[in-house]
Amino acid sequence: SARNFYSKKISKVDYNEMNEILINNLNKNIKVINLSKYLINYQTLNPDEVIFWKRDGHYTPRGYEISSEFVKEKLKQIIFK
């Protein structure tokens, strides 16, 4: 969600750090597809694209498109490795 883009000035919680801690503490047999870094990088490279709604932080239709394509590719890698 858009919360991963919040700076320390806006939020006292570092959601990216929290996500990493949670993922690192999962059973290693559980596959995780983490979109945070991908979406942050995507937004940096494509600043004019709106992938989150400003009011509530949910994906826009374009955000869903980008996210679903990323998940699809990651699932292919996991399933067909």
Side-chain angles (χ1 to χ4, degrees):
S1 78
R3 70 182 187 188
N4 294 90
F5 291 88
Y6 295 163
S7 71
K8 293 270 187 172
K9 294 177 184 175
I10 296 174
S11 175
K12 293 181 181 181
V13 177
D14 184 337
Y15 290 101
N16 293 309
E17 180 182 351
M18 185 173 65
N19 285 349
E20 289 299 319
I21 291 168
L22 291 171
I23 290 169
N24 288 334
N25 285 294
L26 284 174
N27 179 317
K28 299 305 176 200
N29 293 321
I30 298 173
K31 303 290 184 203
V32 175
I33 299 173
N34 186 351
L35 282 85
S36 298
K37 290 178 185 176
Y38 175 76
L39 291 176
I40 290 169
N41 186 51
Y42 186 91
Q43 189 71 71
T44 300
L45 296 174
N46 302 280
D48 294 333
E49 285 198 53
V50 179
I51 59 175
F52 298 106
W53 295 116
K54 290 186 186 224
R55 294 198 113 186
D56 63 13
H58 288 91
Y59 295 132
T60 63
R62 180 68 179 137
Y64 279 111
E65 183 181 347
I66 293 162
S67 298
S68 63
E69 187 63 32
F70 179 76
V71 170
K72 179 182 85 172
E73 293 304 316
K74 289 296 181 183
L75 285 173
K76 283 182 186 178
Q77 291 173 11
I78 292 168
I79 293 169
F80 301 113
K81 71 174 188 171

